[in-house]
Amino acid sequence: MSLIRSNIFDPFSRDLWDPFQGFPFNNSRSLATTDETSSFANARIDWKETPEAHVFKADLPGVKKEEVKVEVEEGNVLKISGERSREKEEKNDKWHHVERSSGKFLRRFRLPENAKVDQVKAAMENGVLTVTVPKEEVKKPAAKAIEISG
């Protein structure tokens, strides 16, 4: 059994068991082993749908808005990415406990067809990123009266 520690300096980081390690193919399914992500990879994001929009809220404490990218790729995939920098270590510092994570994060969400991807708005306030994707109005087909013969 092999445990993959997403951050070797953080004893409370996500420990993932990789059942495919040691197989002849190189296909690790762990997000923690990719170059693009780290222990901060699973940034907590809520997605709710209101009558007017799809609203995404991400908890990103300690991350500046300049360190976050919000993009729409492949036409309808919302991509939220960024990086929380590691705190600078002074030579004389002695760490007793480390729980806060640092590193890159990346999340993707496939948006439904009714999303207006050209009108996406994002705002950051108090460590919470809010991304609003307006929805197109669903046009109900007009009812057409049919004359009954006979």
Side-chain angles (χ1 to χ4, degrees):
M1 177 171 92
S2 173
L3 286 179
I4 300 170
R5 177 149 292 170
S6 55
N7 183 345
I8 61 172
F9 299 108
D10 183 358
F12 298 100
S13 66
R14 292 185 314 150
D15 290 333
L16 302 173
W17 174 59
D18 185 0
F20 300 101
Q21 185 174 23
F23 276 72
F25 54 88
N26 186 13
N27 186 18
S28 177
R29 299 175 191 262
S30 167
L31 284 176
T33 60
T34 65
D35 291 337
E36 208 169 294
T37 59
S38 71
S39 63
F40 195 45
N42 60 346
R44 304 290 186 214
I45 299 179
D46 296 337
W47 176 2
K48 74 176 178 180
E49 183 176 355
T50 67
E52 299 81 27
H54 296 275
V55 181
F56 297 83
K57 290 196 176 216
D59 287 338
L60 303 173
V63 179
K64 298 177 186 130
K65 70 178 186 177
E66 296 80 17
E67 298 172 326
V68 179
K69 281 177 68 174
V70 177
E71 303 170 286
V72 176
E73 58 185 21
E74 299 175 23
N76 69 335
V77 177
L78 178 67
K79 177 181 168 184
I80 301 172
S81 62
E83 182 172 5
R84 177 187 294 155
S85 304
R86 180 171 288 166
E87 192 172 322
K88 292 181 182 178
E89 293 186 30
E90 298 295 327
K91 190 172 184 177
N92 297 329
D93 288 348
K94 179 179 177 184
W95 291 88
H96 292 278
H97 193 76
V98 177
E99 287 188 359
R100 297 182 309 142
S101 58
S102 61
K104 295 181 181 183
F105 62 92
L106 169 66
R107 296 292 304 272
R108 286 187 174 101
F109 300 91
R110 185 164 306 280
L111 298 169
E113 291 181 19
N114 67 347
K116 292 182 178 179
V117 294
D118 57 332
Q119 297 178 17
V120 176
K121 293 191 181 341
M124 181 84 108
E125 186 175 340
N126 296 327
V128 178
L129 172 70
T130 302
V131 179
T132 305
V133 183
K135 293 173 21 179
E136 293 179 9
E137 287 186 34
V138 177
K139 296 180 182 175
K140 296 180 182 178
K144 180 181 175 186
I146 308 295
E147 186 178 319
I148 301 172
S149 62

